[in-house]
Amino acid sequence: MSGRTDDIVRPKGARQAVLRVLLFVILGLFAAYYLLPLFVMVSTSLKTLEEIRTGTLVSLPGTVTFEPWAKAWSAACVGVKCEGLKPYFWNSVLIAVPGVAISTFLGALAGYALTKWRFRGADVIFGLMLFGAFIPFQVILLPMARTLGLLGLAGTIPGLILVHVVYGLAFTTLFFRNFAVGVSDSIVQAAKIDGAGFFSIFFRILVPMAVPTFGVTVIWQFTQIWNDFLFGVAFTSSDSNPVTVALNNVVATSTGVKEYNVDMAAAILAGLPTLLVYVIAGRYFVRGLAAGAVKG
Amino acid sequence: MSASDGRGGAPGLGRRLEAWLPQIVVSPIFALSFFFVYCFIGWTIYISFTKSRMLPVYELAGLLQYERLWATPRWYVALENLFVFGGLFIVGCLVIGLVLAILLDQRIRAEGVLRTIYLYPMALSFIVTGTAWKWILNPGLGIERVAHGLGFENFKFDWLINPDMAIYTIVIAGIWQSSGYVMALFLAGLRSVDDEIIKAAAIDGAGPLRTYAGIVLPMLGPVFLSAIIILTHLAVKSFDLVIALTGGGPGYATDLPATFMYAYAFQRSELGMAAASAVMMLATIMAIMVPYLYSELRGGNR
């Protein structure tokens, strides 16, 4: 337990080695603890119902079957409709793509304008926007439901996109503001003297420098929107449900035999996009989490 | 833009527009945020002081809805659950997160892989992980069956359907999901502690335990604070996990304020009470977040 102090103090070799092994055993056990649910999900999803009834959680599938996956994708029942998760998965794509794009773009503009074109009240505006990131969304559910109704967007995908854009703005603005604060004012000043305007500075100077910030923001927003359940369940109707709501309905549908293997396959399908993003771009994901903690 | 030729003559419209452009761009974005956050909060607060039930009525009725709310046993269950869940969830995440961060900070070769494993639950929806935990904790087919297989024939594990224990299943799944995040926060904090300080302590003869307990941990004070704030925030907003794992049941044994509010707003059509409960949640969060954000923004001096 003394890696950081290795260079100075060298306890007896044997004791050191034992501690080192212990350290790895503990870390390994924790890794197993975190991986266990994923392992159980995957292995259950590949088992036949017969095997689930006779085996245990941790036993490996004797005969691997992809039947549950096929069923979860295109035949499982969500309420009374039995078309699988597929339509809802595409709903989530249709919600997430514009939701991420619009909120990221607007956040980038706002973050840039609030820092590089400082005007009176910019800090107050930012403070007020930031507060919006931390309200419990229960406090806006009722008026939002009514507003969507008035706009004719109740129960629709565009309605849910609007909700995600509006409540994502606080975070996207925060990310880009923190980025733009670090950009030297003299670059912007020089560009202004050269006659560059608001938008040309944004597109020619800020945007190319902000590629990592775009990465962080896009991943953050995508994860938030894809994983959202509260807005989805409150503001969409059965045809426009996102995949999280549909998954919950699949699991809750209790007609006939409970098909745990199909439930698990459905859960993996619903979680796959964000899991893939995490595996591919984990670094950005972690940076987003850190920034989400409002640590400069 | 084309305003640079305005020099000499009267300032052109283009130039004046250019000067106002930042405000023109920001104001609709800000207006959106303001309307959907502050006007909506205002509406909810207003409705909480009316007699609204099925439909909103705008005639004020004083504290009626708050009196009804605080006379509802289910609300007390939700609050008690929030304290039990929130307390255990926060402490559990802090302990596991801190231990993992310190262990990972010992120059481990596989650190990158381990970190990735510890943190991946954060990328998943609570609905996905709730579904998985529901199956793992399944009375009969889940952990119970595994224990029977290992020879513990009398092992019984029915927390998921036991009204007294069900809330703890939410604690288990919640800690599993969020402790890796706390680990990442602490690890970042540990990395910012100067190696020299740790070495100096080692030279002075402090063992690793004393180095961490006496010197490093006190330096992590701000990280503790952020972690507690974030976890409190997560706990108060917890909704998805409860829905996926227990649906608030058995009965309403695992209701939290968030699920209470949802049930009263969308299933029982008690707008006034739902609004009152939402306002209570907002007040709780604000009591924690406002001082924190204020000090963060001032302290950061940005």
Side-chain angles (χ1 to χ4, degrees), chain A residues 4 27 34 55 128 139 167 278, chain B residues 36 38 44 118 120 179 195:
Chain A
R4 278 249 213 165
L27 288 172
Y34 285 109
L128 287 174
V139 84
Y167 297 108
Y278 173 67
Chain B
F36 283 102
Y38 294 94
T44 302
Y118 295 163
Y120 87 90
S179 49
D195 257 1

Side-chain angles (χ1 to χ4, degrees), chain A residues 3-4 20 27 33-34 38 44 53 55 113 128 131 134 139 147 166-167 197-198 227 260 274 278 289 294, chain B residues 18 26 36 38 40 44 105-107 116 118-120 123 135 138 145 179 181 190 195 233 285 289 296:
Chain A
R4 278 249 213 165
R20 208 71 188 158
L27 288 172
Y33 161 68
Y34 285 109
L38 190 64
T44 304
R53 252 179 258 118
L128 287 174
F131 178 72
F134 298 98
V139 84
T147 306
V166 165
Y167 297 108
F198 180 81
N227 288 345
Y260 295 106
T274 50
Y278 173 67
L289 283 178
V294 204
Chain B
E18 182 74 39
V26 171
F36 283 102
Y38 294 94
F40 278 18
T44 302
D105 196 32
Q106 306 304 317
R107 298 203 181 122
T116 307
Y118 295 163
L119 203 58
Y120 87 90
W135 165 231
N138 184 304
R145 169 82 61 91
S179 49
Y181 179 27
L190 285 174
D195 257 1
H233 191 237
I285 295 269
M289 290 309 291
E296 279 284 316

Side-chain angles (χ1 to χ4, degrees), chain A residues 71-78 80-88 239:
Chain A
K71 185 158 189 202
W73 180 247
S74 56
C77 295
V78 179
V80 287
K81 272 205 314 195
C82 297
E83 297 169 4
L85 277 190
K86 188 166 71 174
Y88 308 99
D239 278 340

Side-chain angles (χ1 to χ4, degrees), chain A residues 109-131 173-174 177 181 198, chain B residues 22-23 26-27 29-30 297 302:
Chain A
L109 265 184
Y112 156 68
L114 287 171
T115 47
K116 292 301 161 219
W117 297 78
R118 301 189 55 79
F119 45 85
R120 215 169 340 128
D123 280 339
V124 177
I125 288 186
F126 177 66
L128 287 174
M129 280 184 77
L130 185 60
F131 178 72
T173 306
L174 169 70
R177 182 180 179 276
V181 160
F198 180 81
Chain B
Q23 281 99 320
V26 171
S27 43
I29 299 176
F30 177 60
L297 289 176
R302 300 204 182 145

Side-chain angles (χ1 to χ4, degrees), chain A residues 38-59:
Chain A
L38 190 64
F39 165 76
V40 169
M41 282 165 91
V42 174
S43 104
T44 304
S45 76
L46 297 172
K47 287 179 189 172
T48 59
L49 264 185
E50 181 53 34
E51 216 179 317
I52 290 175
R53 252 179 258 118
T54 54
T56 71
L57 275 185
V58 288
S59 59

Side-chain angles (χ1 to χ4, degrees), chain A residues 4-5 8-9, chain B residues 196-207 211 215:
Chain A
R4 278 249 213 165
T5 51
I8 315 296
V9 194
Chain B
E196 295 302 315
I197 296 173
I198 294 177
K199 282 179 187 168
I203 291 172
D204 286 349
T211 311
I215 298 164

